[in-house]
Amino acid sequence: MTKPAFSFEFFPAKTEQGHEKLLSTYDELNKLSPAYFSVTYGAGGSTRSRTLDIVHALCARGDTDIAPHMSCIGDDKAEIAELLDLYKSLGIKRLVALRGDLPSGQVGMGELPFALDLVKFIREHSGDHFHIEVAAYPEMHPQARSFKLDVDNLVNKYQAGANSSITQFFYNADSYLYLRDSLEKRGIDTVAQPLVAGIMPITNSSNLMRFADSCGADIPRYVRKQLADFGDDSKAIREFGFDVVYRLCERLIAEGVPAIHFYSMNKVEPNKRLIEALGLA
């Protein structure tokens, strides 16, 4: 059985102490030889300077590819072109192209209101320089009118030049497999244009529920009930969460998932433990 590639997502730290901790986390996770690290980007570029700081630091710290997130809503083409040129100068070869969320108080959608527009613009501006990842939603984008239209949008992003997509986190393997089958039926070769499984380790019950509610991800009833039963027993939550995510990844690997992207939450554990237990390192 072919082992899937794996990668990790970081978010920019808000403090100098957090920044230093993130660099230490990078050093530990980088020993596992991931394919790349992605770095998130706030609504309307609200964390732009912090994103650039950590991208600079990680590029200088190792040879592993760094994939900055880019959002387009509310930005103009000149700003995005400037950022693309900067990333080229840093040797960046991979981007995660997203619509993003409008910052509170901002009304204009900008010149590139959707991720599809951003993918097209990156290709117009930079040709094939960048490997472009886009977002995919196994349980449908919360603002989509139907699952079919959501799949249509993902297909359009592939056809506009996206190389691969990373899913929102999920805990039901069948939702991933159904989306993969739907793409295949629409003519997308998910080997050549992979559907990467986005995986969120479970370490904290309240944080997980908040993330899920904000992005429309489904938490299976048995997981919700068990986490509620554990109450404040953080060790029991971590062990149960590890087992849930390990079994999910095992199933995905058995089904031939091409790659797994771990939403690391800037932590070494349980990401390292999962990689080692799954035999991916």
Side-chain angles (χ1 to χ4, degrees):
M1 187 186 300
T2 304
K3 292 181 181 180
F6 64 91
S7 52
F8 300 106
E9 177 186 281
F10 287 150
F11 60 85
K14 294 181 180 179
T15 65
E16 184 60 34
Q17 184 181 17
H19 184 85
E20 291 303 316
K21 184 173 180 291
L22 178 54
L23 295 180
S24 175
T25 298
Y26 167 85
D27 290 341
E28 287 300 309
L29 293 180
N30 198 37
K31 293 174 185 176
L32 301 170
S33 300
Y36 63 93
F37 292 89
S38 73
V39 183
T40 65
Y41 190 74
S46 59
T47 65
R48 176 176 294 178
S49 63
R50 295 205 304 272
T51 297
L52 289 176
D53 285 347
I54 196 64
V55 168
H56 270 281
L58 297 182
C59 284
R61 204 167 180 90
D63 296 328
T64 304
D65 281 351
I66 305 301
H69 288 210
M70 289 190 75
S71 64
C72 55
I73 193 168
D75 277 350
D76 61 40
K77 291 180 179 179
E79 289 174 311
I80 292 172
E82 184 180 351
L83 199 51
L84 291 171
D85 289 337
L86 173 61
Y87 285 148
K88 280 186 193 175
S89 73
L90 290 175
I92 298 291
K93 296 288 184 65
R94 185 186 289 263
L95 297 171
V96 182
L98 307 166
R99 184 196 72 174
D101 300 314
L102 265 179
S104 58
Q106 187 168 323
V107 290
M109 299 280 279
E111 293 182 87
L112 302 168
F114 299 105
L116 176 61
D117 303 312
L118 178 57
V119 172
K120 290 177 179 177
F121 181 75
I122 293 170
R123 288 293 177 231
E124 289 167 7
H125 178 276
S126 303
D128 292 330
H129 177 83
F130 294 107
H131 177 111
I132 301 176
E133 306 259 14
V134 294
Y137 296 87
E139 293 158 340
M140 199 171 87
H141 190 284
Q143 295 172 349
R145 286 179 290 164
S146 71
F147 184 80
K148 179 187 179 300
L149 290 174
D150 206 30
V151 174
D152 287 347
N153 186 51
L154 180 54
V155 169
N156 289 340
K157 288 190 285 188
Y158 274 118
Q159 292 176 342
N163 299 99
S164 52
S165 61
I166 304 172
T167 73
Q168 178 58 268
F169 72 88
F170 60 92
Y171 296 102
N172 180 353
D174 287 330
S175 63
Y176 168 89
L177 297 171
Y178 187 80
L179 176 57
R180 186 179 69 180
D181 292 347
S182 299
L183 290 173
E184 291 281 354
K185 289 174 184 174
R186 292 291 308 275
I188 300 298
D189 180 347
T190 57
V191 174
Q193 295 172 294
L195 178 67
V196 178
I199 298 296
M200 174 78 80
I202 300 172
T203 58
N204 180 293
S205 179
S206 57
N207 284 352
L208 178 65
M209 301 308 170
R210 188 174 72 252
F211 293 146
D213 292 343
S214 68
C215 65
D218 181 56
I219 307 297
R221 179 175 167 78
Y222 86 96
V223 175
R224 283 185 180 268
K225 296 289 285 182
Q226 186 64 76
L227 290 174
D229 286 347
F230 286 135
D232 295 328
D233 188 343
S234 58
K235 182 179 179 182
I237 289 171
R238 288 195 302 270
E239 288 304 312
F240 172 71
F242 176 84
D243 187 59
V244 168
V245 175
Y246 176 79
R247 289 170 183 268
L248 171 64
C249 291
E250 266 198 325
R251 168 88 190 280
L252 293 170
I253 291 168
E255 294 282 358
V257 69
I260 300 175
H261 189 62
F262 290 92
Y263 297 110
S264 78
M265 300 307 295
N266 292 7
K267 297 178 184 295
V268 173
E269 298 295 346
N271 301 285
K272 181 174 184 284
R273 183 182 172 195
L274 282 164
I275 294 297
E276 292 176 341
L278 291 164
L280 299 181

